[in-house]
Amino acid sequence: MNEKTEVLIVGAGPTGLTLAVDLARRGVACRIVDQAAVPAGGSKGKGLQPRTQEVFDDLGVIGRVLAGATPYPPLRVWMGRVPVWQARMHKRTPPTDAVPYPMVMMHPQWRTESVLRECLAELGGKVEQGTALTGFEQDAYRVTARLGTGEILRVRYLVAADGGRSPVRKALGIGFTGQTREEERMALGDVRVEGLGRDHIHVWVRPGKGMVALYPMAGTDTFQLLASLKPGVVPEQTLSWYQQIFAERSMRRGVRLTELLWSSLYRVNIRLADRYRSGRVFLAGDAVHVHPPEGGQGLNTGVQDAYNLGWKLARVLAGAPEALLDTYEEERRPVAARVLGLSADLHDKKSYKRDEETYQLSLSYRGGSLARCGGERVPDGRLRLADGTWARMFDLLRGPHFTLLSPDPAPRVAGGPEVRAYKPAEPYGGELHTLVRPDGYVGISTSSADELAAYLAMV
């Protein structure tokens, strides 16, 4: 029986991989397993929100992500060969000092996962493909996990990032409140196409037949195809079936689908788990919230689940109070509820709206137990230090540590977290001690050194 692993992650999508990378860089002994024999293919979630890009900046992979990403091209709607409407889903916005990644970037999910797997390997980890979790039990001290390989693990914590149908969530008996709209289904496929430009997202709508769309996937020669399905229709998920659907809905003779690389079916689900935690088992990503595609919130919310949970697991494993882990659900579940409401509203309105409301930069943990006159995302920007030098805020924050902006050194707290302290001039000058959490949100801003020390003892 293996008891060296402290955290077992089930599911190697973007959420599980983000958590694995974050724990690995913190020196936490973790393993990540996935029941699929090979990494998942397909573009699936393809939009990376500005806040997710900031997370990837902190994890050190943003350069690799942006090397294969592009802004979304304009959307063009056709009736046969006649364009009838054109617009942009996202307004063109230049970077600023505070927001270095201001636009949603198109980056197919398979590539996002590939970048994170590569980073995990550099940190000494790997995804154990073809390894299913077949069962688990927990007591007050550990989780006993049984793997399909026959191995039995005794771990401190188990994190299920195992998708919307999460077997772990079901085994825990946690409700998944919401709705599944069986009548609203889509066929998805990654295809190669001849005779069509890649400078637009193309959408065809034919009355009585339905909609078909082709998204040129960033950094590839493929398109993502989306086609609405009528109730009762069971697609074959073959190239010939996709060719037929495309031909009858687009009525474009000069455009031809030549290859089907990946396909899937999608039903509109709007669901939120009743709880994010049961004892030593946590849920993250699609296992706790599933979204309509409008607004591109699902993958991005899952990445931020992992980013919130990672530093808290590491701190508790290092001796911080167990109660710190209760703040994961406290902080993340209200965020998911708000985001689900936004996604559902955009879906019901059939809106192509994408703006600051969907970028996830304005989400905060204000009012929570870890927000003492704080809870807001710290913007990037140039910061003048008291010695007259200048620094970029994100450069100071990058890494697994806490960051203190204060006129005084960090107080010594037995068993407390790593804190890197900087003495700033404006705008963080004066007598305030501003402590930034490892996930880039203000934890506490106070003029009392005693309050700061008490906060550090809590985390």
Side-chain angles (χ1 to χ4, degrees):
M1 184 177 292
N2 189 325
E3 296 196 9
K4 294 181 180 179
T5 303
E6 293 184 301
V7 179
L8 175 64
I9 303 167
V10 181
T15 301
L17 286 166
T18 297
L19 180 60
V21 168
D22 198 25
L23 291 177
R25 70 172 180 159
R26 297 175 189 280
V28 174
C30 68
R31 288 171 64 178
I32 178 169
V33 300
D34 195 287
Q35 66 179 355
V38 296
S43 48
K44 300 179 187 176
K46 55 188 175 295
L48 298 180
Q49 301 291 350
R51 180 56 186 160
T52 301
Q53 294 171 55
E54 293 182 354
V55 172
F56 289 163
D57 181 313
D58 181 47
L59 296 180
V61 299
I62 189 61
R64 281 177 267 190
V65 167
L66 294 182
T70 63
Y72 274 59
L75 181 73
R76 178 174 286 176
V77 179
W78 302 81
M79 295 290 285
R81 298 187 62 85
V82 180
V84 296
W85 186 75
Q86 180 169 310
R88 283 193 176 274
M89 296 171 65
H90 313 93
K91 63 182 180 181
R92 292 279 186 172
T93 306
T96 65
D97 282 348
V99 183
Y101 311 109
M103 295 192 63
V104 178
M105 301 298 285
M106 181 185 288
H107 195 252
Q109 183 170 324
W110 66 264
R111 177 169 279 156
T112 298
E113 294 176 4
S114 178
V115 167
L116 291 170
R117 283 197 306 272
E118 182 180 282
C119 180
L120 180 60
E122 292 166 358
L123 292 167
K126 67 175 182 178
V127 176
E128 299 175 42
Q129 300 286 166
T131 303
L133 175 72
T134 58
F136 66 94
E137 297 87 28
Q138 59 176 313
D139 55 35
Y141 304 101
R142 288 188 177 269
V143 179
T144 301
R146 298 185 299 278
L147 304 181
T149 58
E151 184 179 5
I152 297 177
L153 291 176
R154 288 271 292 170
V155 296
R156 293 277 299 278
Y157 299 101
L158 186 151
V159 180
D162 53 348
R165 298 179 180 178
S166 173
V168 173
R169 185 191 66 241
K170 293 176 181 178
L172 293 169
I174 294 176
F176 205 30
T177 303
Q179 57 181 301
T180 297
R181 300 182 182 179
E182 296 287 354
E183 74 283 3
E184 297 184 42
R185 298 175 303 139
M186 302 280 289
L188 284 75
D190 285 353
V191 297
R192 287 197 169 95
V193 180
E194 289 182 352
L196 188 68
R198 299 182 61 84
D199 53 349
H200 288 85
I201 299 166
H202 305 273
V203 181
W204 290 267
V205 180
R206 186 178 180 188
K209 295 294 184 180
M211 179 277 295
V212 65
L214 287 171
Y215 285 68
M217 285 292 99
T220 76
D221 62 351
T222 65
F223 288 78
Q224 182 190 68
L225 183 149
L226 294 87
S228 59
L229 295 173
K230 294 181 179 180
V233 172
V234 180
E236 298 176 8
Q237 294 184 266
T238 61
L239 176 60
S240 61
W241 184 87
Y242 279 90
Q243 288 172 329
Q244 177 185 341
I245 287 292
F246 178 77
E248 70 178 18
R249 297 184 183 184
S250 73
M251 298 180 290
R252 289 290 297 269
R253 295 182 179 179
V255 179
R256 189 168 71 93
L257 310 186
T258 61
E259 189 175 357
L260 176 64
L261 303 171
W262 167 85
S263 63
S264 181
L265 298 179
Y266 171 78
R267 295 179 303 171
V268 171
N269 282 283
I270 307 169
R271 293 186 177 273
L272 178 63
D274 296 343
R275 290 180 289 139
Y276 275 42
R277 177 186 187 184
S278 178
R280 293 184 168 272
V281 182
F282 296 83
L283 306 174
D286 287 355
V288 277
H289 46 75
V290 289
H291 307 247
E294 285 77 10
Q297 302 297 289
L299 179 155
N300 295 276
T301 304
V303 165
Q304 292 193 58
D305 288 343
Y307 194 51
N308 182 284
L309 181 59
W311 73 267
K312 295 173 181 179
L313 282 171
R315 284 298 306 136
V316 170
L317 288 167
E322 178 81 16
L324 179 61
L325 293 175
D326 292 333
T327 67
Y328 168 59
E329 178 177 325
E330 174 195 316
E331 293 186 336
R332 292 304 301 166
R333 194 172 186 277
V335 167
R338 290 196 299 272
V339 168
L340 270 174
L342 172 62
S343 299
D345 185 57
L346 291 173
H347 176 79
D348 291 339
K349 292 178 179 177
K350 295 181 169 52
S351 173
Y352 290 101
K353 175 186 175 184
R354 306 289 187 271
D355 58 18
E356 286 80 4
E357 195 173 12
T358 65
Y359 292 171
Q360 301 201 354
L361 293 173
S362 61
L363 297 176
S364 81
Y365 305 127
R366 186 173 54 248
S369 59
L370 287 185
R372 308 291 176 84
C373 296
E376 304 292 342
R377 161 193 168 269
V378 175
D380 196 12
R382 297 184 70 215
L383 177 70
R384 186 166 63 88
L385 301 178
D387 63 4
T389 61
W390 289 85
R392 181 186 171 212
M393 180 64 76
F394 278 11
D395 288 340
L396 303 183
L397 301 183
R398 191 179 298 110
H401 56 274
F402 284 73
T403 303
L404 178 64
L405 305 173
S406 171
D408 302 317
R412 294 185 178 276
V413 176
E418 177 190 359
V419 180
R420 296 184 185 177
Y422 301 92
K423 186 176 181 179
E426 297 297 333
Y428 294 93
E431 298 302 314
L432 280 179
H433 312 286
T434 300
L435 183 71
V436 184
R437 304 171 1 167
D439 55 0
Y441 291 85
V442 174
I444 185 171
S445 188
T446 178
S447 59
S448 168
D450 289 341
E451 284 186 0
L452 174 62
Y455 186 94
L456 287 169
M458 184 174 66
V459 297

